[in-house]
Amino acid sequence: MLKCDYGNLHREVSLLEAAGAESLHLDVMDGHFVPNLSYGAMVVKRIRELTDRILDAHLMISDPGRYLDDFVDAGCDSVTIHIEAVPDPTELLHAIRQQDVVAGLAINPETPVEAVEPFLSLCDLILVMSVEPGFGGQKFIPSALNKLTRLRELSNAQATFSIDGGIDLTTVGSAAAAGVDICVVGSAIFDSSDYRASMQQLRIEAHSCRQAAAL
Ligand code: ZN
């Protein structure tokens, strides 16, 4: 939702629902962990009132523990924190799960797999950043796919894998072939005039590349 029209949030949510979006990915930035500021739990709460789709909060903030309850109370179904912000996320991942919320851990392009490896069993969702966090519209970093493959090998079968950054018609296929479960898409939908058509094209491309990879 980073690239959506915040002046027309209600309309944007309706268009995304009509386009078939399964979940809404909410990029929360604090101006400290990443340079940009976006929005906090109050806006998430309003989005919750507008939709029953899955709300997937991606906390690009330095002190996620301080605000965790606010995001849970706002109605997030999933809360993802960054390993770079919380080098030992054991307590926080437990706390998220205890609230019956999906516990996610995100990893930046520069961070090695070893940083998250000890905590994989505590994660319901692993989010691999395929751009530097903090800005929309960046170019996809292909090495993220190797990281995704390695993390899938190391992780338990239940974890869901998500990729975030630079996903469009030219990159969605390689992400799908690498076995990703969720593609976070921003510009490729919001910069188009027809969200439904854009999402459908992305799905077709992802499915055909996934099938080709499985052959
Ligand atoms: Zn994100």
Side-chain angles (χ1 to χ4, degrees), residues 18-77:
E22 289 164 22
S23 61
L24 303 181
H25 180 89
L26 308 170
D27 283 315
V28 177
M29 305 179 186
D30 65 354
H32 186 260
F33 180 70
V34 289
N36 269 344
L37 274 169
S38 60
Y39 51 82
M42 280 188 280
V43 172
V44 175
K45 192 169 179 224
R46 285 294 293 129
I47 296 173
R48 176 78 293 164
E49 288 164 8
L50 298 175
T51 182
D52 56 7
R53 291 292 197 277
I54 293 166
L55 295 186
D56 173 27
H58 175 194
L59 304 187
M60 288 173 269
I61 65 179
S62 295
D63 189 3
R66 184 174 167 193
Y67 300 100
L68 175 61
D69 288 346
D70 292 346
F71 285 99
V72 171
D73 292 345
C76 294
D77 300 289

Side-chain angles (χ1 to χ4, degrees), residues 29-209:
M29 305 179 186
D30 65 354
H32 186 260
F33 180 70
V34 289
N36 269 344
L37 274 169
S38 60
Y39 51 82
M42 280 188 280
V43 172
V44 175
K45 192 169 179 224
R46 285 294 293 129
I47 296 173
R48 176 78 293 164
E49 288 164 8
L50 298 175
T51 182
D52 56 7
R53 291 292 197 277
I54 293 166
L55 295 186
D56 173 27
H58 175 194
L59 304 187
M60 288 173 269
I61 65 179
S62 295
D63 189 3
R66 184 174 167 193
Y67 300 100
L68 175 61
D69 288 346
D70 292 346
F71 285 99
V72 171
D73 292 345
C76 294
D77 300 289
S78 163
V79 173
T80 296
I81 59 173
H82 265 267
I83 189 70
E84 298 81 9
V86 189
D88 183 350
T90 306
E91 206 177 311
L92 210 41
L93 290 168
H94 276 303
I96 297 170
R97 277 184 166 177
Q98 271 169 6
Q99 311 226 43
D100 286 330
V101 170
V102 170
L105 190 58
I107 179 169
N108 282 343
E110 298 292 312
T111 305
V113 163
E114 289 72 27
V116 296
E117 192 179 348
F119 313 108
L120 291 176
S121 64
L122 304 174
C123 300
D124 304 308
L125 183 149
I126 295 149
L127 186 150
V128 177
M129 290 301 300
S130 43
V131 299
E132 291 300 325
F135 302 92
Q138 295 184 72
K139 199 170 173 332
F140 185 79
I141 299 172
S143 61
L145 297 175
N146 300 333
K147 190 177 276 180
L148 178 77
T149 303
R150 182 73 189 125
L151 283 165
R152 282 185 71 219
E153 287 165 3
L154 293 170
S155 157
N156 64 64
Q158 279 87 38
T160 298
F161 282 84
S162 177
I163 195 160
D164 187 359
I167 295 290
D168 59 20
L169 267 180
T170 67
T171 55
V172 73
S174 56
V180 76
D181 303 294
I182 298 169
C183 287
V184 177
V185 186
S187 305
I189 291 173
F190 291 110
D191 290 353
S192 79
S193 55
D194 186 339
Y195 294 178
R196 190 188 187 92
S198 307
M199 211 175 294
Q200 199 168 7
Q201 286 173 340
L202 287 161
R203 280 185 201 278
I204 290 168
E205 176 68 9
H207 284 151
S208 68
C209 290

